């Protein structure tokens, strides 16, 4: 070969490799690490894809056990029993892959060192990577980027215990091209970004009357074969962040800056119906370019009237040309038209899923290998040794490791209530199982803590001892004293709240299939009854006797907890005496007064809601209306203009201490539940639901920032949380606390305290008021999101009925 020919060959190879990975490659980022017992490194591999996927998995097969693995672009969902095979699967946003794309994965591992091996240059074992029908084998010693050897999976000697999961391969694969010059406006310099900043949706370029294009022609003959997959002209997914940044650069808020929407299941395509939520309008768009196709604009709630309407995004793969069916389904019962049409399209399923992951991250005790939060390990398994009891288990309330019984029980009760009100939302999100597991983890600990009929452990651990350390929970070895309540040192608030939590959990198990005589339900109710009697017969404030709780979770009253416990026992047992006693507490303690907040300490407004609900159910309509009156005063007060304080951008603001998002979510939840009560008029029902949606809208990102870790745009990276701020390898201490980078572990689903009264928020780990997290924070938020999902399901059911020809 001549020198010129060789240069030409190299040039062609460079051009072909400039923009895409053409060979599977592997490398190790930076240097590995090692201490006396363990080593680790960050691995990175890239594998080109030749088929279209709508779901995938990868197995990493090692020749030695791997103690820990963290993946950034996938979920570590399973490990073999010997920890030598680790399985990854897609995250929702990278579920769909197209030919020409690259499977790009980074991961971090930690493993026990083998004696005699020099880990100075050899950073550790490399995996055999099983993906689709091939096995990719990296060089065992080369740490720099190198091409992996590829084997067909059937010809490679894989471990006999390697499991094979189905890959969702979509055929035929679509052709993916990206145009470089098509502009949606007449400005030749505009390309695809300039219309993002406009205050009106884009219109396509003006064309000569009578001309047609391949996309819009009405005379094009009907295809005789299945439709050709769309050619992507302008990738929605690839350009979304760029368009979003243009909005920020122009200092435009969401209301002033329109961003075209991508499909959830096909993120390279634009939605056929584009909606500007904050202007309340929708129009038909070209799914290849995002451009507006016609001048017709309708109100958001009338989007189904557009001739391009598609109810199910997952089935939309061509330009919508459907017409309204002319026949009405005869076998389907006609659903009522919903009064409330949710205007936001957040992925509420994912919010609920992530929130339950947060509860798993807060677990104490013997977590085992089955936990979904892989960076959490067994911790404080000897809790109770100070008082000669087994008190392992339960939850850490917040970012430290003290187990406070009072706020934990309150969070469990509210979590169960949210499920019981909006069960179908959990079923639709496939989260009922995990919700029950979250409640059971708390209930099992409460049963342990109830050491005798009139004695209950109130707290394990002392913040005065522990807060001088910043460590992983498994490394926290300070003494953990036990504090309890008894007949001589009563706590009606704590005992009553724990009784409510156990009864509410029993009710959840009852409605999800447990028999009335189920041994676990029977145990829950037995402990609940005994704790309620203890609370009723030996009255007092628990924080008066448990002094270490005084500065953190002081109880202001036990009156609401007594009524609260009796109501949940009535709900779980059906015994009228509990309802009668709740009504008596309501009268004796003056619980009829309007409230301004709902929290772990104050449940009076929740008592009023349940009394109204149960009175209606019993046919006592007048009593129900009487109980409902202070609830409507609570919700009216918390509406904009009702007297409550709001931030400039619309978050209900009730506390300058911190954790304000939890108060907003609790108020939203109360009003959302109230909106389902039969005695409320239609206007108030709509107002309360819109209020709840507005608060969750703010929290999930309306202002350009989400306050839920791991969800949405610009979410918090530095929650005040010891366990997630520590890396998986190496020491952890106050240096980790002082770092200005994001926590090494993502605390999925955690709701942080949020902004101040002027919407100012600083993502700073040291600011525990704005960045603190807690079990009670998430309970109200999760219940409200489930409620919005409930209304979303009702609306979608009606829309599907209309689409199929219903009237």
């Amino acid at each position: 070969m001549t020198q010129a020919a060789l240069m030409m060959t190299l040039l062609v190879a460079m051009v072909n490799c400039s923009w895409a990975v053409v060979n599977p490659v592997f490398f190790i980022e930076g240097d590995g690490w090692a201490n006396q017992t363990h080593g680790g490194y960050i691995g990175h591999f890239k594998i080109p894809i030749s088929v279209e996927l709508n779901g995938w998995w990868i197995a990493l097969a090692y020749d030695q056990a791997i103690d820990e693995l963290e993946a950034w672009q996938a979920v570590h969902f399973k490990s073999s029993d010997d920890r030598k095979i680790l399985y990854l699967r897609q995250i929702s946003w990278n579920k769909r892959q197209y030919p020409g794309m690259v499977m790009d994965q980074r991961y971090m591992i930690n493993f026990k060192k083998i004696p005699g091996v020099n880990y100075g240059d050899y950073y550790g074992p490399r995996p055999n990577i099983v993906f689709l029908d091939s096995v990719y084998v990296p060089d065992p010693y080369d740490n720099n980027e190198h091409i992996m050897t590829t084997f067909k999976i059937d010809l490679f000697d894989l471990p006999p215990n390697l499991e094979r999961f189905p890959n969702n391969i979509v055929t035929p694969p679509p052709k993916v091209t990206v145009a470089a010059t098509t502009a949606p406006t007449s400005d030749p310099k505009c390309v695809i970004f300039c219309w993002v900043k406009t205050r009106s949706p884009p219109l396509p370029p003006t064309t000569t009357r009578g001309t047609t294009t391949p996309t819009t022609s009405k005379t094009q003959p009907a295809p005789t074969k299945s439709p050709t997959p769309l050619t992507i002209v302008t990738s929605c997914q690839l350009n979304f962040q760029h368009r979003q940044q243009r909005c920020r650069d122009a200092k435009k808020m969401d209301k002033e800056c329109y961003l075209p929407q991508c499909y959830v299941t096909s993120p390279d395509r634009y939605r056929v119906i584009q909606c500007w939520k904050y202007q309340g309008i929708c129009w038909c768009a070209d799914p290849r370019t995002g451009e507006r196709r016609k001048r017709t604009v309708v109100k958001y709630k009338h989007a189904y009237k557009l001739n391009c309407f598609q109810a199910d995004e997952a089935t939309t793969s061509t330009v919508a040309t459907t017409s309204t069916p002319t026949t009405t389904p005869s076998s389907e019962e006609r659903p009522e038209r919903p009064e409330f049409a949710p205007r936001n399209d957040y992925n509420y399923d994912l919010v609920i899923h992530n929130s339950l992951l947060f509860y798993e991250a807060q677990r104490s005790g013997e977590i085992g290998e089955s936990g979904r939060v892989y960076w959490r390990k067994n911790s404080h398994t000897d809790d109770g040794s100070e008082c000669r009891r087994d008190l392992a288990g339960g939850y850490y309330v917040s970012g430290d490791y003290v187990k406070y019984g009072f706020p934990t029980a309150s969070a469990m009760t509210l979590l169960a209530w949210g499920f019981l009100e909006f069960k179908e939302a959990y079923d639709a999100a496939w989260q009922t199982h995990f919700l029950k597991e979250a409640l059971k983890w708390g209930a099992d600990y409460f049963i342990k803590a109830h050491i005798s009929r009139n004695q209950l452990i109130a707290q394990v651990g002392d913040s005065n001892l522990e807060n001088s350390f910043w460590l992983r929970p498994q490394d926290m070895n300070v003494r953990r004293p036990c504090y309890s309540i008894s007949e001589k040192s009563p706590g009606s608030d704590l005992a009553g709240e724990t009784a409510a939590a156990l009864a509410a959990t029993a009710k959840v198990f009852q409605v999800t299939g447990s028999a009335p005589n189920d041994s676990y339900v029977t145990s829950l109710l037995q402990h609940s009854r005994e704790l309620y009697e203890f609370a009723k017969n030996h009255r007092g404030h628990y924080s008066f006797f448990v002094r270490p709780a005084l500065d953190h979770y002081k109880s202001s009253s036990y009156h609401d907890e007594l009524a609260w416990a009796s109501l949940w026992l009535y709900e779980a047992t059906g015994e009228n005496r509990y309802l009668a006693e709740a009504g008596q507490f309501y009268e004796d303690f003056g619980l009829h007064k309007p409230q301004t907040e709902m929290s772990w300490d104050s449940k009076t407004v929740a008592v009023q809601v349940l009394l109204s609900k149960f009175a209606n159910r019993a046919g006592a309509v007048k009593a129900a209306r009487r109980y409902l009156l202070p609830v409507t005063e609570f919700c009216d007060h918390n509406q904009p203009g009702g007297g409550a304080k709001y931030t400039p951008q619309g978050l209900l603001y009730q506390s300058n201490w911190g954790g304000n998002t939890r108060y907003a979510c609790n108020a939203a939840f109360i009003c959302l539940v109230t909106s389902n009560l039969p005695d409320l008029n239609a206007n108030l029902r709509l107002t309360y639901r819109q209020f709840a949606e507005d608060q969750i809208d703010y929290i999930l990102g309306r202002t350009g920032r989400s306050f839920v870790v791991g969800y949405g745009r610009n979410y918090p990276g530095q929650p005040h949380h010891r366990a997630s701020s520590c890396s998986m390898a190496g020491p952890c201490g106050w240096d980790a606390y002082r770092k200005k980078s994001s926590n090494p572990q993502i605390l999925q689903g955690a709701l942080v305290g949020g902004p101040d009264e002027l919407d100012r928020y600083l993502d700073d780990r040291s600011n525990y008021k704005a960045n603190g997290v807690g079990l009670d924070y998430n309970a109200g938020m999760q219940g409200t999101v489930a409620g919005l999902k409930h209304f979303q399901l009702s609306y979608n059911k009606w829309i599907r009925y209309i689409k199929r020809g219903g009237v």
Side-chain angles (χ1 to χ4, degrees):
M1 181 180 292
T2 65
Q3 185 175 3
L6 179 60
M7 291 297 292
M8 180 60 69
T9 302
L10 291 174
L11 180 61
V12 170
M14 290 174 63
V15 170
N16 289 339
C17 296
S18 296
W19 302 105
V21 174
V22 295
N23 292 301
V25 297
F26 179 92
F27 58 96
I28 291 177
E29 298 183 6
D31 298 328
W33 58 83
N35 55 31
Q36 291 182 347
T37 60
H38 284 74
Y41 64 80
I42 296 177
H44 198 153
F45 61 85
K46 301 180 182 181
I47 302 173
I49 297 174
S50 59
V51 296
E52 181 182 357
L53 298 170
N54 186 22
W56 51 264
W57 65 277
I58 296 172
L60 305 181
Y62 289 84
D63 58 5
Q64 73 176 78
I66 303 299
D67 288 346
E68 297 171 313
L69 177 139
E70 177 177 357
W72 283 275
Q73 313 296 334
V75 175
H76 174 206
F77 72 98
K78 188 178 178 64
S79 298
S80 61
D81 292 338
D82 59 5
R83 297 291 296 177
K84 291 184 178 181
I85 307 175
L86 311 173
Y87 299 90
L88 309 177
R89 68 183 178 204
Q90 76 281 336
I91 299 174
S92 59
W93 53 262
N94 65 1
K95 179 179 180 181
R96 185 172 290 274
Q97 302 282 324
Y98 293 99
M101 297 179 70
V102 175
M103 177 55 61
D104 190 342
Q105 292 294 322
R106 297 173 66 235
Y107 65 91
M108 179 171 66
I109 60 169
N110 196 37
F111 51 85
K112 291 182 180 178
K113 291 168 58 177
I114 298 175
V117 175
N118 180 9
Y119 289 90
D121 296 322
Y122 168 69
Y123 296 148
R126 319 299 158 86
N128 294 326
I129 303 167
V130 181
F131 178 56
L132 296 179
D133 59 351
S134 300
V135 181
Y136 302 90
V137 182
D139 186 280
Y141 296 102
D142 191 353
N143 300 324
N144 299 316
E145 183 171 314
H146 60 273
I147 298 175
M148 294 186 287
T149 305
T150 305
F151 298 89
K152 285 296 181 183
I153 194 169
D154 295 333
L155 303 178
F156 193 84
D157 187 17
L158 288 169
N161 61 333
L162 186 138
E163 298 182 54
R164 302 281 291 274
F165 300 94
N167 282 295
N168 297 330
I169 301 177
V170 181
T171 54
K175 298 177 181 179
V176 181
T177 59
V178 179
T181 58
T182 304
T185 74
S186 58
D187 183 356
K189 298 179 181 179
C190 182
V191 195
I192 62 173
F193 301 116
C194 60
W195 58 275
V196 172
K197 297 184 294 183
T198 62
R199 286 192 59 80
S200 60
L203 288 171
T206 305
T207 56
T208 306
R209 183 182 298 273
T211 61
T212 60
T213 67
T215 301
T216 58
S217 172
K218 296 181 180 179
T219 60
Q220 188 174 0
T224 57
K225 299 180 180 180
S226 59
T228 303
L230 279 174
T231 297
I232 306 301
V233 176
T234 305
S235 169
C236 189
Q237 182 185 39
L238 295 179
N239 293 318
F240 179 81
Q241 291 183 344
H242 192 164
R243 294 192 303 271
Q244 190 180 64
Q245 189 59 47
R246 289 290 296 258
C247 290
R248 294 172 184 162
D249 292 345
K251 297 182 180 179
K252 298 284 187 180
M253 300 303 296
D254 285 348
K255 292 184 178 180
E256 301 171 337
C257 188
Y258 171 73
L259 290 175
Q261 298 162 301
C262 309
Y263 276 116
V264 173
T265 53
S266 301
D268 261 331
R269 298 172 182 170
Y270 293 87
R271 294 181 62 176
V272 172
I273 290 184
Q274 293 287 326
C275 293
W276 195 352
K277 294 179 294 183
Y278 303 109
Q279 296 292 336
I281 54 174
C282 299
W283 60 93
C284 291
D286 189 322
R288 300 172 304 165
T289 65
E291 296 178 18
R292 181 173 162 186
R293 295 176 58 213
K294 297 182 179 181
R295 292 185 176 275
T296 303
V297 173
V298 299
K299 291 183 178 180
Y300 186 88
K301 63 182 179 180
H302 295 146
Y304 65 92
K305 293 184 178 180
L306 291 167
N307 63 0
C308 58
F309 176 76
Q310 296 287 334
D312 186 2
E313 290 184 352
T315 62
T316 304
S317 59
T318 59
V319 177
T321 56
T322 59
S323 59
T324 303
T326 57
T327 60
T328 302
S330 58
S331 60
E332 181 180 2
E333 181 181 353
R334 183 184 185 277
E336 293 185 9
R337 176 169 179 161
E339 298 174 309
F340 175 59
R343 61 181 190 278
N344 296 323
D345 58 353
Y346 293 110
N347 188 341
Y348 293 134
D349 291 353
L350 183 59
V351 178
I352 296 171
H353 168 273
N354 286 358
S355 181
L356 288 169
L357 281 180
F358 167 69
Y359 282 97
E360 290 195 30
Q362 295 301 102
R363 289 181 179 180
S364 177
E366 192 79 30
I367 297 174
E369 297 295 328
S370 60
R372 295 185 295 168
V373 183
Y374 62 89
W375 48 268
R376 277 301 325 282
K377 306 301 177 185
N378 297 342
S379 59
H380 296 126
T381 54
D382 61 347
D383 271 356
S385 58
E386 291 270 334
C387 51
R388 298 181 181 180
R389 298 284 180 179
D390 174 15
L391 296 175
Y395 285 103
Y396 305 125
V397 173
S398 56
D400 60 13
Y401 307 132
V402 179
K403 294 195 295 200
Y404 295 99
F406 190 40
T408 300
S410 178
M412 293 297 101
T413 313
L414 187 54
L415 203 61
W417 189 16
F419 172 82
L420 293 169
E421 291 289 344
F422 307 114
K423 177 181 180 296
E424 67 281 3
Y426 284 90
D427 293 342
W430 296 89
Q431 295 303 306
T432 297
H433 167 75
F434 299 108
L435 180 280
K436 291 174 68 178
E437 288 296 310
L439 293 173
K440 188 175 186 301
W441 194 272
D444 288 351
Y445 172 76
F446 294 144
I447 290 174
K448 284 184 177 183
H450 186 208
I451 57 182
S452 67
R453 181 179 292 271
N454 291 335
Q455 190 171 5
L456 175 68
I457 299 296
Q459 178 177 324
V460 177
D462 188 344
S463 62
N464 293 328
L465 295 174
E466 299 192 12
N467 283 354
S468 58
F469 298 93
W470 192 271
L471 297 170
R472 304 178 188 90
Q474 61 267 31
D475 298 333
M476 185 76 79
N477 294 319
V478 299
R479 57 182 293 265
R480 305 260 293 174
C482 315
Y483 303 92
S484 64
I485 57 173
S486 63
E487 296 177 10
K488 295 181 179 180
S489 52
S492 302
D493 31 28
L494 172 63
E497 184 60 66
T498 308
L502 292 173
T505 300
K507 183 65 177 180
V508 169
F509 277 78
Q510 289 169 352
V511 302
T512 53
S514 295
N517 60 348
D518 177 86
S519 59
Y520 186 64
V521 173
T522 301
S523 176
L524 291 172
L525 291 177
Q526 177 186 349
H527 284 277
S528 179
R529 292 176 191 271
E530 290 180 1
L531 284 167
Y532 171 67
E533 295 299 325
F534 172 36
K536 186 174 63 170
N537 297 330
H538 303 280
R539 300 188 183 183
H541 294 81
Y542 95 100
S543 51
F544 181 81
F545 298 99
V546 182
R547 302 300 292 178
L550 191 62
D551 295 333
H552 300 279
Y553 294 99
K554 176 184 176 182
S555 173
S556 59
S557 171
Y558 57 76
H559 297 163
D560 48 342
E561 279 82 23
L562 284 175
W564 185 235
S566 59
L567 285 168
W568 280 111
L569 272 166
Y570 166 72
E571 178 72 340
T573 65
E575 296 177 18
N576 289 328
R577 72 178 184 92
Y578 289 119
L579 183 59
E581 289 180 4
Q584 193 62 51
F585 289 140
Y586 182 86
E587 300 297 336
D588 292 346
F589 297 144
L591 300 181
H592 61 278
K593 297 177 182 178
Q595 303 294 302
T596 57
E597 77 170 47
M598 159 71 180
S599 69
W600 56 265
D601 180 40
S602 177
K603 297 104 183 174
T604 299
V605 68
V607 167
Q608 295 162 351
V609 171
L610 287 187
L611 279 171
S612 181
K613 178 179 180 179
F614 295 162
N616 252 311
R617 196 164 63 189
V621 177
K622 290 184 178 180
R625 291 173 181 169
R626 181 166 61 90
Y627 295 134
L628 180 61
L629 183 59
V631 181
T632 57
E633 293 186 43
F634 169 87
C635 290
D636 292 346
H637 169 78
N638 286 309
Q639 298 294 316
K645 186 176 180 179
Y646 269 76
T647 69
Q649 295 193 50
L651 179 68
L652 177 64
Y653 194 84
Q654 291 189 344
S655 171
N656 59 9
W657 185 91
N660 187 66
T661 53
R662 60 175 159 180
Y663 294 107
C665 287
N666 288 347
F669 177 75
I670 289 294
C671 296
L672 204 58
V673 173
T674 303
S675 74
N676 279 342
L677 297 180
D679 291 319
L680 205 66
N681 68 59
N683 288 335
L684 285 182
R685 282 199 296 272
L686 182 60
T687 299
Y688 293 172
R689 291 168 187 174
Q690 288 176 340
F691 161 69
E693 187 178 30
D694 287 343
Q695 297 306 298
I696 294 298
D697 190 15
Y698 184 107
I699 286 166
L700 295 184
R702 174 169 58 81
T703 64
R705 170 187 290 278
S706 167
F707 293 95
V708 177
V709 178
Y711 181 85
R713 296 182 290 165
N714 198 21
Y715 58 76
Q718 298 187 42
H720 182 86
H721 189 266
R722 285 167 171 77
S724 67
S725 72
C726 295
S727 63
M728 294 175 64
C732 182
W734 288 106
D735 287 342
Y737 170 80
R738 287 186 287 266
K739 279 185 179 179
K740 297 305 179 184
S741 56
S742 295
N743 290 5
Q745 325 306 333
I746 299 178
L747 189 61
Q748 291 279 7
L751 173 66
V752 301
D756 66 11
E757 67 273 17
L758 297 178
D759 295 300
R760 295 173 300 196
Y761 172 79
L762 182 63
D763 188 10
D764 184 348
R765 190 178 301 107
S766 64
N767 187 343
Y768 60 86
K769 293 183 178 180
N771 291 282
V773 298
L775 298 180
D776 62 301
Y777 290 32
N778 272 64
M781 184 270 289
Q782 187 175 311
T784 309
V785 168
L788 294 174
K789 174 67 178 180
H790 159 85
F791 291 112
Q792 196 178 66
L793 289 170
S794 299
Y795 183 73
N796 291 343
K797 179 181 179 181
W798 179 71
I799 288 294
R800 287 194 297 270
Y801 177 80
I802 295 298
K803 180 195 170 186
R804 290 195 290 268
V807 293

